[in-house]
Amino acid sequence: MKKSRIPTLLLSIVMLLSLAACGQESKSASGPSGEYSTSAKGFGGDVNVTVTLENGVIVAVTAEGPSETAGVGSNAIDQLPDAIVAAGNADVDGVSGATMTSNAIKTAVKKALNEARGTEQEAFDGYTEGTYTGTAQGNNGPLKVEVTVSKDKIESVEVVSNNETALLSVPALERIPSEIVEHQTLTLDAVSGATVTSNAIIAATKNAVLQAGGNMAYLDANAYAPEAGDPIEKDAEVVVVGAGGAGLSAAVTALQNGASVILIEKNATLGGNTLQSGCGWCSVNPEVQGKVETKAGQIETLQSYLELKPADYPAVADVLEVLQGQIRDYLAGDTTYMFDSVELFIFQTYIMGTRTGLDGTTITGNVDLIKTMCTQSEDARQWIYSFDIDEFRNYNTPIGGPWHRSREPQKNETGKNGLPMLQALETYLLNNGAEIMYETRATDLITKKGAVTGVLAKKTDGTPVTLHAKKAVILCTGGYGANSEMVFKHNNYWKDLPDDLLTTNCKTSTGDGITMAEKIGAQLTGMGFVQLMPTSSPVTGDTFKSMIEPYDFIFVDPTGNRFINEMAEGRDTLSAAALSVGSYFYVIMDQQMIDNGNYDQSWYDAKVDAGILVKADTLEELAKKIDVDYNALQKTLNNYNAAVKSGVDSLGKTEMVHTCEVGPFYACPRRPAIHYTMGGITINSNAQVLDTDGNVIKGLYAAGETTGGIHAGNRCGGNAVADIFVFGRIAGKNAASLKK
Ligand SMILES: Cc1cc2nc3c(=O)[nH]c(=O)nc-3n(C[C@H](O)[C@H](O)[C@H](O)COP(=O)(O)OP(=O)(O)OC[C@H]3O[C@@H](n4cnc5c(N)ncnc54)[C@H](O)[C@@H]3O)c2cc1C
């Protein structure tokens, strides 16, 4: 691990975002001094804090929570006290994956501050009646509330505008305003999976309430956290854990095969990474692909496969032999339209997954699993059509994919490609008698004589849940991209990973299924291999969202120089190059590139307002704003523009469309972030989980990103979505058919 240096510009972006989100609060110069101890309910039990104040300023915070989960809640105990001291208040971001412990620490600190500042609280003598507007930064831009107060209380909170993510934000948008009014406090738990939206509503309301003469100490005194209910115990034939693409398809298939089903999900809504994703889905359909014109480079690639010796690829020699015959036949005929076959899909998945680790060992994909995925992917897509899903878009080559075989569902008005599929599966479950329990986090597998018989879980309010599975449990909890501790513990691929690596993933991708399965003796595969997304946000980890076309990418390092062919093959090559130039790099764009981009100008302007894009009328002004040497940047762009005109680039980029010379100019700071975790639970092609001796663990199945083996050391673009629906369906069918 190496420490990274966050540049001044990024720090100012971070500050811009956090000030917008939290509102500015100055440290008071006078106030109480002393130590104040309180507690609040965490995940496992009470979390105790002691706050030390000097003249009203927080100078130290200690926290302890003996019942919080080691490696999860303990991260919040370790990290939040220092963050609170640095911020001077408890309005700090929680620690990813440890929301309940984070909230307990923040609530307890607020209680301690109330106790210390009790006299200030008494000074509150009512609001100035009226309706006030407050704004704070949400996930995708500003979120605005209107707050109406009477003399004594907050009468209503209404979110009047927001750009929050469809579906994921709904529970927060509904629940947080009503909880504020009901409990007359802004000290509330964030909704699971919608922390940023929850905190934005709270911050915007705070903003409005302070304008009305509100007193935070008065509101904090009503701090609210829901109480745990009575223990819940239920039975089903099949219990599925995790409501992403794998879990929903497993649950629906189990139901279609006659089993009773309970699906549990730790977030307040479905989706996981499947909802975040572009949902590019690779599958082979020669009939449809055969009408697509052959793409540049495809013939050369096919010819290169004819040079290979099957004996050099023993695990897939049979596949390569058949493939070579297919290629010869194709090249001997009309090559106007493209070629594809299941064998090409299998072979490319296998060779592109092969990687050598830092320890010198080479990892290759499990051929049985690869064959299963590649053979059944198109069937799985046809199955999705049966849920009345919109047509998929035309074939394309996804980022990190080797061939023109990916299609994603039509974008709907939410911009979330996966949403229609996920909602259709959810609706099917609800209409056909399955039970879905949201805000329910599985913690352990129940076993009897070596077989899995159920799941222990907890609701977000702490209510214990026991689920008995008469046939089987299916783990579909996704990857561990949001659990950097797990990534660092197993990393066997990346040199010098920065210790503050962010992720493109949803915050619930913490590898829970892997941890639960390992605890009962499951074998893990490929845990050392993690895929990075080179063009992520250095502030949030968010993806680049296809702002401009890759052929227009110009990457410059902090000294203003290009450092890589921006279209070099593979995310690994770009990520390694980006990590080697330091903590960040910039994508430089001009107005022509933006005009050719994927959104309206207003979308880019909103990104400028949010500090994600830097805009300047001239290149010189841009260089100044991003603290890059102007002469170096100008020379870089002059060389690039000459390369666009001549078609010859010193770094080897072959597809260049626009020069970069028409103002205004834009810069977007970028940095690699964890994107996909190849490792996970070892399964066989029936989706049964194997133990460390290679034997089947009875009653336990797994599917999706929580498993390892198919993608080995590198997951090809568009293959994850194929994987989750194929193996989700296999797991659901086999679990339902299990005789016990
Ligand atoms: C930004 C982005 C873009 C991507 N684009 C593509 C693409 O275009 N094509 C492609 O092939 N792949 C893509 N991927 C990868 C792909 O989307 C994922 O690998 C895939 O969706 C994972 O599906 P899953 O069902 O296994 O897990 P997820 O969809 O992550 O679902 C797992 C669910 O389990 C829940 N969960 C976790 N722990 C627990 C617990 N203890 N108890 C209960 N529930 C739990 C989570 O909250 C989550 O809802 C992308 C990924 C990202 C992040």
Side-chain angles (χ1 to χ4, degrees), residues 176-480:
I176 298 289
S178 65
E179 284 189 350
I180 291 172
V181 174
E182 186 183 345
H183 302 287
Q184 295 294 306
T185 187
L186 297 177
T187 306
L188 298 163
D189 286 352
V191 173
S192 317
T195 309
V196 176
T197 308
S198 303
N199 289 341
I201 300 169
I202 291 169
T205 308
K206 176 176 173 182
N207 203 297
V209 161
L210 290 177
Q211 294 169 47
N215 177 316
M216 289 315 296
Y218 176 79
L219 288 167
D220 284 350
N222 298 328
Y224 168 73
E227 297 275 311
D230 291 336
I232 295 172
E233 191 159 358
K234 289 174 186 271
D235 288 353
E237 283 170 311
V238 175
V239 174
V240 182
V241 185
L248 283 160
S249 50
V252 168
T253 313
L255 199 63
Q256 289 181 329
N257 282 274
S260 59
V261 173
I262 296 177
L263 168 63
I264 64 170
E265 164 57 50
K266 78 174 165 185
N267 264 343
T269 51
L270 55 74
N273 273 350
T274 313
L275 186 67
Q276 309 295 327
S277 90
C279 262
W281 177 339
C282 286
S283 70
V284 175
N285 185 334
E287 201 184 311
V288 186
Q289 287 169 286
K291 296 184 181 123
V292 178
E293 282 184 13
T294 301
K295 303 290 155 201
Q298 285 187 336
I299 299 289
E300 292 76 6
T301 303
L302 293 176
Q303 282 165 337
S304 74
Y305 292 159
L306 290 179
E307 309 291 315
L308 304 177
K309 292 196 185 83
D312 292 340
Y313 301 87
V316 284
D318 55 337
V319 175
L320 182 54
E321 271 169 28
V322 174
L323 173 62
Q324 289 178 330
Q326 293 168 342
I327 294 174
R328 275 187 213 102
D329 290 348
Y330 171 73
L331 294 179
D334 179 1
T335 57
T336 312
Y337 296 101
M338 62 170 281
F339 167 84
D340 201 7
S341 72
V342 167
E343 286 73 18
L344 181 61
F345 191 10
I346 295 170
F347 185 67
Q348 290 182 322
T349 301
Y350 179 81
I351 53 171
M352 286 190 67
T354 303
R355 287 285 186 277
T356 299
L358 295 171
D359 65 2
T361 55
T362 295
I363 182 167
T364 55
N366 175 320
V367 177
D368 280 348
L369 298 182
I370 295 175
K371 285 182 174 171
T372 305
M373 178 185 82
C374 297
T375 314
Q376 297 190 24
S377 182
E378 184 60 23
D379 285 350
R381 194 215 294 284
Q382 297 299 331
W383 177 74
I384 284 288
Y385 283 139
S386 71
F387 296 91
D388 208 15
I389 297 300
D390 275 351
E391 267 302 302
F392 281 66
R393 291 200 285 175
N394 283 338
Y395 281 98
N396 57 68
T397 307
I399 299 174
W403 210 248
H404 215 70
R405 65 166 72 93
S406 170
R407 299 178 85 182
E408 63 261 25
Q410 299 282 8
K411 276 201 197 315
N412 61 8
E413 66 282 2
T414 67
K416 289 278 167 193
N417 307 31
L419 186 58
M421 294 195 286
L422 298 171
Q423 277 183 322
L425 296 175
E426 183 196 40
T427 304
Y428 183 93
L429 288 174
L430 295 174
N431 289 345
N432 289 280
E435 179 169 359
I436 306 182
M437 298 173 73
Y438 286 112
E439 296 187 88
T440 306
R441 184 174 73 96
T443 56
D444 288 284
L445 293 166
I446 307 170
T447 55
K448 196 170 170 191
K449 295 186 190 154
V452 171
T453 58
V455 174
L456 295 179
K458 240 180 198 171
K459 308 277 297 174
T460 39
D461 64 9
T463 305
V465 177
T466 305
L467 300 173
H468 300 287
K470 290 188 201 146
K471 289 191 169 184
V473 171
I474 308 177
L475 293 174
C476 301
T477 50
Y480 51 99

Side-chain angles (χ1 to χ4, degrees), residues 5 25 71 139 151 172 204 368 384 532 598 600 608 683 701:
R5 186 180 65 86
E25 201 174 306
N139 256 310
K151 178 146 182 29
D368 280 348
I384 284 288
L532 303 181
N598 288 303
D600 293 340
V608 174
I683 55 167
Y701 293 80

Side-chain angles (χ1 to χ4, degrees), residues 176 193 202 257 373 377 589 599 628 655 673 686 739:
I176 298 289
I202 291 169
N257 282 274
M373 178 185 82
S377 182
M589 300 159 253
Y599 306 90
V628 165
E655 200 181 351
N686 296 319
K739 302 266 177 282

